[in-house]
Amino acid sequence: MIELDVEITEKAYSRRINRATLEKIHKGVHNYIIVARRFRDVNYTAKRLAEDIGTNTRYLSAAIRFYYGSNYSELVNKLRVEEAKRMLSDADTTMTMEEISYSAGFANRQSFYTAFDKYCGMTPKKYRHDILARNADEAFELIIE
């Protein structure tokens, strides 16, 4: 019940922010977090992002919720998991799971495994095994055809 009240409050709050401001913040989030890949920096916080964009954390939170349907931490973790999936899919990588987790922006191995399981429904190790096996099968099929 508390979560529902918070969600209603955030939606009401984001309706009070004008559309141009929301779009400006969205563009800033996109440029700083996605394009500049700041999601990989463990120390890059919502407060720092808000400062870089020139807004406050409340407006930032409302814009992220409006455009991405999540909060700052969820958005960053989704991007980190996608980055980790990219690295895990590279058959030539010699990186360990810990190196991949740090490179993707996770503070520790446990937070990496927790987020990965949340968004992928499996461990990073299982994902790597499955994706490499699938890629090998696809390559084999191309050779046969």
Side-chain angles (χ1 to χ4, degrees):
M1 183 133 195
I2 293 172
E3 289 179 30
L4 181 61
D5 293 338
V6 170
E7 189 172 307
I8 290 168
T9 303
E10 283 187 18
K11 286 180 182 177
Y13 187 78
S14 65
R15 277 183 263 160
R16 287 184 270 173
I17 304 170
N18 71 50
R19 185 66 172 201
T21 301
L22 280 174
E23 288 177 13
K24 175 186 172 259
I25 295 168
H26 175 245
K27 187 177 278 187
V29 169
H30 180 78
N31 289 337
Y32 280 92
I33 297 296
I34 298 168
V35 175
R37 300 166 51 96
R38 296 268 171 86
F39 65 86
R40 294 177 71 185
D41 181 351
V42 174
N43 299 311
Y44 197 72
T45 63
K47 183 179 181 196
R48 173 78 190 279
L49 175 59
E51 290 169 0
D52 288 344
I53 294 172
T55 191
N56 61 52
T57 54
R58 187 120 184 195
Y59 275 33
L60 175 67
S61 177
I64 289 173
R65 175 78 53 202
F66 183 79
Y67 285 100
Y68 299 100
S70 63
N71 63 40
Y72 176 81
S73 295
E74 290 167 340
L75 172 62
V76 167
N77 279 338
K78 286 177 191 175
L79 293 168
R80 288 173 177 166
V81 166
E82 288 304 313
E83 180 71 3
K85 285 169 57 177
R86 185 190 63 72
M87 289 185 268
L88 291 164
S89 299
D90 181 359
D92 297 326
T93 190
T94 58
M95 295 173 73
T96 67
M97 287 298 166
E98 277 189 297
E99 290 169 332
I100 289 171
S101 72
Y102 294 130
S103 183
F106 289 97
N108 57 59
R109 188 175 170 179
Q110 184 59 44
S111 61
F112 171 50
Y113 273 73
T114 300
F116 203 94
D117 185 57
K118 178 179 180 179
Y119 296 113
C120 299
M122 65 181 76
T123 66
K125 197 172 207 173
K126 172 112 173 78
Y127 176 85
R128 179 170 173 73
H129 176 269
D130 290 358
I131 196 79
L132 293 179
R134 185 170 56 236
N135 290 346
D137 288 347
E138 289 171 4
F140 184 72
E141 289 173 13
L142 288 174
I143 292 169
I144 293 175
E145 293 175 358

